[in-house]
Every structure is written in structure tokens, then in C-alpha cells.
């Protein structure tokens, strides 16, 4: 976990918004969703660009 | 976030950076004689200019809630050319959250939040929220970390939120919700209580307490799930609609939560001591007269009152000294004394939770970031009134070691010795193995005193079982 001095890490930053009440909880939820989408995308690996695929020469 | 208040006058002849001033690289504190100075880098200096021009800061300095601060010329200890040098009013004695009572921690938390709330109206925020940013002058909290204030950048959340939870909110919740003293937890970790640890302690049947769900449970879960730097999150939160109004709402709700926290305990071991049923009234009056005579001989800088309880003798000493540290190992009596002093507006007595048999060690980096008490306060007089038998008989500290400790403080001592015939001594010995404390006799202790101190005066109290001494250290 990143929790450096003067850097409270994302989890705390997001929950700081939750503490603001309903409107803040909405912001926190959208931020978490965005983060999870980003995480999933990077876990799936980069999307394949078919134009970049070059057939290996056969011998 | 740094100390530099009151290291002993007998040390620090050369300017040197404060050992606790390094975490925020934009500024450092040092002591130059009696002056507390702080260097600011170019960014911090520009920020300070804006902060110093704000209405909230001017008002907070005027009413004493922010330490008196001015710009001065001055060389740094290592020759570094700081963009600006500030001088702060000196805090008489530096204390830490692990030495504060519940109400002291609560007042420090409220001061932090009220300043943050006032600052944001002028687009100023704080970059952190550690309990080390607050000190006490007597029973009045003062915010000392001036460079923590910086201009607010639109769309950013409060960067101090996590620290505020770890160092204020969670310890207060421990006491308010679980009747757990916060002091051992805060003494155990310089950064306070993590969200996960708070969750483990607070969850359970009574987890429905105010603030638990968001500040503790969700906080712990989010902390484990989203581990990247919060700097990366700022833009995502802005895109998700974070605005200054939410920042304000966070602070307002925290204020309401902290204001509503109460410690329900009303009884403790020493909670009824002020009735002093074990003293005859004449004995107590003569003891007070003795103390009054000693403290009235001269004006002193700092006085330690060890085992101060309701502060009866601290109040006597306060008339003739700059600051009395009223120490006690019972958190409830310290809290009561603090609330009384706060109501009186007394500033010459600083209540302090301290078990003299197990005093605050140095904590943090190198064990010097937050040093032990003797590195922060040099007493001119120690009041050790009816504590020696508790140290010797309850904690099994040899009386010679206790006297060595007092002698090492190089100060005058008013020492009250309950003798082996004293009722309280007999009570304390009752549950001890036979023979364990045979050496606890007035004769033996007086002999040990003579090896270390000159006895300026000696008086037997009327009950016949207690003797009081005014001692000065041998040259």
C-alpha cells in the first residue's frame, strides 16, 4: 500500500469524499468504478492492434 | 508537525535543526537560543505570503489558536539559504497525543477542523493533519505547523483526511465507543492508528456507532483495495464531479462527529482522590503550607507535579512559576483537571498523562523524532508528593533508583514519604509477598536521600506517618 507522508493513498482520498455525504458518495462510487475499469483493462493486457501483426516468415 | 518548542535551556547552545522537523521537505525548524525559527523553500514562502494575508490566519493568530509567527532575517544551522525565515512564539513545553487526555485530544481535533473550515472559505487548505501540529499552552490548544496551510487547488479533496482519522478520529472513537485509553496506541505508533486496525477494534456488536461505517469500515476496505498514490486519483475525482462544496461538507460532518464524541467513564482508581479521605484536614493544610513556603521562595521556570491528581498543589506552584506540568497516570483525573483548567482559563498548568514508572519514550525516526520528556522539559522544582510509595511498592522500583531519577533531573525536590507505618503503605504491602519490601523504611530512605541531596527542611505531618522534605541536589 502506498501511504507516504503527504500522500494518503487513493483509498483515503476516495473515502474523504464519502464522508461528505450522499453527493460525495456518488463521486466516490464513480471514482472507484473508473479505477476498477482501469485495473481490469490493465489486467487484461493491451488490446491487440491487428494491423501491427506481421506473419512470421515460414521456412 | 514539528516540535522545537521547549527543549531544555541548558542544552541547544548552538542552532540545530529540530529532530522532528524533516518530513515535509519544504520547511525545517531550528532553535537559535530562545528563538524558534523555521526556514521555508521558495514554494512554501510564496504559499505563506498568501496565507499570512488571509483574514482567517490573521484572526487565528490574534486569538491564539495559531502560534504567533513573523518573518525575520536569520541564518540556518547548516548555512542553507532558505527563501524565507519565520520566527514562532515559543511553546513552553511540548507534549504529544499519547500524553493528552480524551478532552485534550478532542479539543486539538476540533481546533484542527475549525481552522481547516475557516481556511477553505478563503481557498486555503492544509496539506496534513497530524496531532503533532497542535500543542497546548496550559489548557489552551495552539496550532503550530504554519506551513501546513497552503492554497487550495480546485477539485482536490482534503489531503489531511487520512492523518486526521489516524491521529484524532480513531483514537477518540476508541475511548468514546470502547472505553479504551488512546494513549498506549498513540505511543505505540508515531503515525497513529491505521484504518484496518481501527476496523478490527471497533467492529462488532456496537459497530453501529456514528462514523464507523464510512470513516472506519469503508476506509479500511478502500485502503486495502485502492493502493495507488492519491495524486493519481485527483483527476479521476475531479472527472467524477468532486467540488469544493464536498470538501466543505467533509469538514462540517467531521466537526459534528467529533463534537458529539463523549467519554462516558466517570470512575477510576484515583477519580475520588480529591476528597483525600486518607488525610486529616490539618495534615493536608500543613502539607499545603510546606509546599507554599518552598514554591514562594523564588520564581521558577518549570515545575513538575508528579501524581498531580486534582491539581491542588499544581495550583499553588503555578503562582510562582512559568509553567507547571501536572502529571498523573490516571487518564480520567487528567481529563477532569484539564476540563477544570479550561473552564478557569488557566494557562500556567499543563495537564499531562504520564505514568512516572513507565514514562513516554522517544518515538519515530531514530527514537528522537518525538523525544522523551526530559529532552523537552527541564524542571527547576519537582513535587513528588506521596508518589514514592506507589513507585516502590506497586511498581517495585527500588527507592534508591527513584531517588537517582529525581537527582538526575538536577532540580529541587519536594518529597513526601509515607512511612512504613502509613495506612496506605500497609494497604499496598498487604498483597505482596512477605519480605519483598522490608527495605522500605523511613530510616533507609533518609539515608539514601542524604547520599544524593541536601535536606533544606524536613517536617513530620501531624498524623505521624508521613514526612515531607525540601531537597536540593548535592553539588
Amino acid at each position: 500500500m502506498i501511504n507516504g507522508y503527504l500522500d494518503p493513498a487513493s483509498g483515503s482520498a476516495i473515502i474523504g469524499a464519502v464522508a461528505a455525504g450522499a453527493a460525495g458518495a456518488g463521486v466516490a462510487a464513480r471514482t472507484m468504478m473508473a479505477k476498477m475499469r482501469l485495473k481490469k483493462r490493465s489486467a487484461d493486457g493491451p488490446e491487440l492492434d491487428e494491423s501491427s501483426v506481421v506473419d512470421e516468415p515460414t521456412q | 508537525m514539528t516540535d522545537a518548542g521547549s527543549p531544555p535551556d541548558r542544552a541547544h547552545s548552538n542552532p540545530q535543526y529540530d529532530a522532528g522537523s524533516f518530513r515535509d521537505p519544504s520547511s525545517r525548524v531550528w532553535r537559535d537560543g530562545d528563538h524558534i525559527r523555521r526556514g521555508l523553500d521558495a514554494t512554501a514562502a510564496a504559499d505563506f505570503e498568501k496565507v499570512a494575508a488571509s483574514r482567517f490566519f490573521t484572526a487565528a493568530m490574534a486569538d491564539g489558536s495559531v502560534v504567533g509567527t513573523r518573518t525575520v532575517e536569520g541564518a540556518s544551522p547548516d548555512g542553507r539559504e532558505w527563501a524565507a525565515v519565520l520566527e514562532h512564539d515559543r511553546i513552553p513545553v511540548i507534549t504529544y497525543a499519547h500524553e493528552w487526555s480524551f478532552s485534550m485530544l478532542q479539543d486539538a481535533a476540533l481546533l484542527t477542523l475549525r481552522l481547516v473550515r475557516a481556511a477553505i472559505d478563503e481557498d486555503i487548505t492544509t496539506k496534513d493533519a497530524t496531532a503533532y501540529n497542535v500543542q497546548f499552552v496550559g489548557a489552551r490548544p495552539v496550532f503550530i505547523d504554519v506551513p501546513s496551510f497552503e492554497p487550495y487547488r480546485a477539485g482536490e479533496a482534503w489531503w489531511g483526511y487520512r492523518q486526521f482519522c489516524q491521529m484524532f478520529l480513531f483514537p477518540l472513537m476508541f475511548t468514546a465507543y470502547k472505553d479504551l485509553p488512546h494513549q498506549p496506541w498513540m505511543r505505540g505508533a508515531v503515525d497513529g492508528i491505521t484504518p484496518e486496525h481501527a476496523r478490527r477494534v471497533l467492529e462488532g456488536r456496537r459497530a453501529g456507532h456514528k462514523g464507523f461505517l464510512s470513516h472506519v469500515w469503508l476506509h479500511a476496505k478502500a485502503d486495502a483495495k485502492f493502493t495507488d498514490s492519491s495524486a493519481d486519483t485527483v483527476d479521476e475525482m475531479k472527472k467524477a464531479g468532486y467540488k469544493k462544496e464536498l470538501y466543505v461538507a467533509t469538514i462540517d460532518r467531521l466537526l459534528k462527529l467529533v463534537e458529539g464524541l463523549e467519554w462516558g467513564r466517570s470512575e477510576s482508581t484515583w477519580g475520588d482522590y480529591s476528597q483525600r479521605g486518607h488525610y486529616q484536614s490539618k495534615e493536608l493544610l500543613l502539607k499545603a503550607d510546606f509546599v507554599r513556603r518552598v514554591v514562594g521562595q523564588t520564581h521558577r521556570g518549570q515545575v513538575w507535579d508528579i501524581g498531580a491528581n486534582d491539581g491542588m498543589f499544581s495550583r499553588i506552584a503555578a503562582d510562582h512559576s512559568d509553567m507547571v506540568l501536572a502529571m498523573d497516570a490516571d487518564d480520567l483525573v487528567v481529563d477532569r483537571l484539564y476540563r477544570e483548567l479550561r473552564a478557569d482559563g488557566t494557562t500556567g498548568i499543563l495537564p499531562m498523562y504520564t505514568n512516572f514508572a513507565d514514562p513516554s519514550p522517544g518515538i519515530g525516526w531514530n527514537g528522537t523524532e518525538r523525544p522523551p520528556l526530559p529532552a523537552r522539559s527541564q524542571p527547576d522544582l519537582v513535587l513528588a508528593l506521596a508518589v514514592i510509595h506507589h513507585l516502590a511498592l506497586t511498581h517495585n522500583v527500588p527507592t534508591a533508583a527513584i531517588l537517582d531519577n529525581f537527582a538526575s533531573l538536577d532540580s529541587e525536590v519536594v518529597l513526601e514519604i509515607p512511612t512504613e507505618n502509613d495506612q496506605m503503605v500497609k494497604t499496598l504491602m498487604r498483597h505482596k509477598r512477605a519480605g519483598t519490601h522490608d527495605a522500605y523504611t523511613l530510616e533507609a530512605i533518609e539515608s539514601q536521600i542524604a547520599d544524593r541531596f541536601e535536606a533544606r527542611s524536613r517536617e513530620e505531618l501531624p498524623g505521624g506517618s508521613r514526612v515531607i522534605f525540601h531537597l536540593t541536589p548535592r553539588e
Side-chain angles (χ1 to χ4, degrees):
Chain A
M1 166 194 352
I2 296 172
N3 171 25
Y5 201 80
L6 305 178
D7 180 4
S10 290
S12 291
I14 293 167
I15 296 305
V18 174
V27 169
R30 287 192 289 280
T31 308
M32 284 192 265
M33 295 288 279
K35 279 193 167 298
M36 285 193 287
R37 272 199 301 273
L38 195 72
K39 209 171 173 182
K40 185 172 185 307
R41 224 177 287 152
S42 53
D44 290 346
E47 280 177 21
L48 198 62
D49 177 1
E50 289 179 5
S51 65
S52 66
V53 177
V54 180
D55 286 338
E56 289 287 318
T58 52
Q59 297 206 334
Chain B
M1 78 184 72
T2 187
D3 277 5
S6 57
D9 287 324
R10 299 170 206 184
H12 292 266
S13 51
N14 298 317
Q16 55 183 281
Y17 284 117
D18 184 89
S21 172
F22 60 88
R23 295 222 194 193
D24 178 356
S26 68
S27 88
R28 287 200 79 180
V29 171
W30 67 91
R31 179 169 174 175
D32 189 351
D34 276 344
H35 302 282
I36 306 303
R37 299 257 162 86
R38 183 192 293 272
L40 303 177
D41 70 10
T43 307
D47 288 350
F48 176 71
E49 224 171 277
K50 288 176 195 153
V51 170
S54 67
R55 288 184 306 279
F56 102 87
F57 187 79
T58 310
M61 241 190 355
D63 70 19
S65 49
V66 168
V67 68
T69 299
R70 57 224 149 254
T71 309
V72 294
E73 298 290 322
S76 67
D78 59 355
R80 176 174 169 176
E81 295 285 334
W82 292 95
V85 176
L86 306 181
E87 182 164 317
H88 299 303
D89 290 347
R90 195 171 152 200
I91 302 294
V93 180
I94 294 292
T95 53
Y96 303 128
H98 53 274
E99 295 164 336
W100 300 342
S101 72
F102 174 81
S103 299
M104 294 172 83
L105 185 65
Q106 187 175 36
D107 282 355
L110 290 173
L111 174 71
T112 302
L113 290 173
R114 286 173 185 146
L115 288 170
V116 172
R117 181 64 186 84
I120 195 62
D121 282 343
E122 294 182 70
D123 285 334
I124 292 168
T125 182
T126 60
K127 64 177 79 160
D128 65 354
T130 112
Y132 302 110
N133 285 353
V134 180
Q135 285 300 320
F136 280 85
V137 176
R140 184 170 57 82
V142 181
F143 191 91
I144 62 165
D145 189 22
V146 170
S148 178
F149 293 110
E150 61 178 5
Y152 176 70
R153 289 171 291 271
E156 285 193 3
W158 182 35
W159 285 74
Y161 173 72
R162 183 194 181 91
Q163 275 185 328
F164 184 83
C165 289
Q166 293 201 171
M167 305 209 71
F168 289 113
L169 185 60
F170 298 157
L172 288 170
M173 283 178 161
F174 276 25
T175 308
Y177 295 163
K178 293 280 184 183
D179 196 15
L180 282 175
H182 72 266
Q183 295 89 356
W185 300 83
M186 298 303 286
R187 167 176 159 156
V190 75
D191 293 325
I193 302 163
T194 65
E196 176 58 15
H197 289 177
R199 182 188 70 78
R200 290 186 201 184
V201 171
L202 292 169
E203 81 178 353
R205 279 193 302 119
R206 303 182 73 187
H209 283 301
K210 266 191 174 175
F212 173 79
L213 183 63
S214 59
H215 296 295
V216 183
W217 194 85
L218 273 175
H219 199 166
K221 296 295 173 192
D223 203 31
K225 182 123 186 120
F226 304 106
T227 58
D228 53 330
S229 160
S230 46
D232 301 337
T233 308
V234 170
D235 283 341
E236 292 164 75
M237 288 180 71
K238 279 185 198 167
K239 279 182 208 155
Y242 194 89
K243 292 188 176 75
K244 185 175 152 185
E245 290 75 20
L246 294 179
Y247 178 116
V248 172
T250 301
I251 305 303
D252 283 343
R253 290 168 76 101
L254 278 170
L255 262 169
K256 205 171 161 195
L257 175 62
V258 174
E259 279 168 351
L261 293 173
E262 282 178 16
W263 185 21
R265 182 142 59 94
S266 60
E267 285 180 17
S268 69
T269 311
W270 298 102
D272 295 327
Y273 186 82
S274 56
Q275 293 163 17
R276 289 183 164 85
H278 52 294
Y279 279 98
Q280 297 170 12
S281 57
K282 194 178 171 195
E283 193 176 24
L284 194 60
L285 283 175
L286 282 170
K287 180 170 154 179
D289 278 346
F290 189 95
V291 172
R292 200 171 285 114
R293 276 200 306 279
V294 173
V295 299
Q297 285 171 358
T298 183
H299 187 90
R300 293 177 175 86
Q302 293 182 11
V303 175
W304 290 8
D305 184 1
I306 301 168
N309 199 272
D310 63 356
M312 176 182 176
F313 298 100
S314 296
R315 289 177 194 272
I316 294 172
D319 291 338
H320 304 278
S321 57
D322 295 336
M323 184 60 69
V324 179
L325 272 71
M327 307 176 196
D328 206 283
D330 185 321
D331 48 351
L332 184 64
V333 300
V334 176
D335 204 57
R336 276 186 189 161
L337 177 59
Y338 170 73
R339 283 183 276 132
E340 280 176 23
L341 296 170
R342 184 181 61 185
D344 296 349
T346 308
T347 53
I349 301 174
L350 173 59
M352 193 173 172
Y353 170 82
T354 301
N355 179 356
F356 209 71
D358 182 19
S360 303
I363 62 171
W365 173 246
N366 266 342
T368 57
E369 188 179 351
R370 308 294 165 197
L373 183 63
R376 292 176 271 140
S377 170
Q378 170 65 56
D380 296 309
L381 173 68
V382 173
L383 302 180
L385 302 169
V387 290
I388 192 169
H389 57 317
H390 292 292
L391 295 169
L393 306 177
T394 305
H395 299 282
N396 278 21
V397 183
T399 50
I402 298 166
L403 294 168
D404 279 342
N405 182 296
F406 292 159
S408 74
L409 297 172
D410 197 24
S411 74
E412 296 171 69
V413 180
V414 174
L415 177 68
E416 179 188 2
I417 303 176
T419 69
E420 58 273 32
N421 300 317
D422 183 80
Q423 199 50 50
M424 180 63 85
V425 169
K426 287 178 180 168
T427 303
L428 293 174
M429 284 195 181
R430 195 171 298 150
H431 302 292
K432 296 283 189 166
R433 287 184 188 180
T436 305
H437 293 295
D438 284 353
Y440 187 92
T441 64
L442 180 62
E443 189 185 354
I445 298 171
E446 283 208 77
S447 163
Q448 291 165 345
I449 287 171
D451 292 340
R452 296 161 178 84
F453 296 96
E454 301 274 1
R456 296 293 165 132
S457 50
R458 178 190 190 281
E459 203 167 306
E460 284 183 29
L461 295 176
S465 66
R466 293 185 173 218
V467 184
I468 190 164
F469 299 83
H470 174 205
L471 307 172
T472 52
R474 281 194 182 282
E475 294 298 321

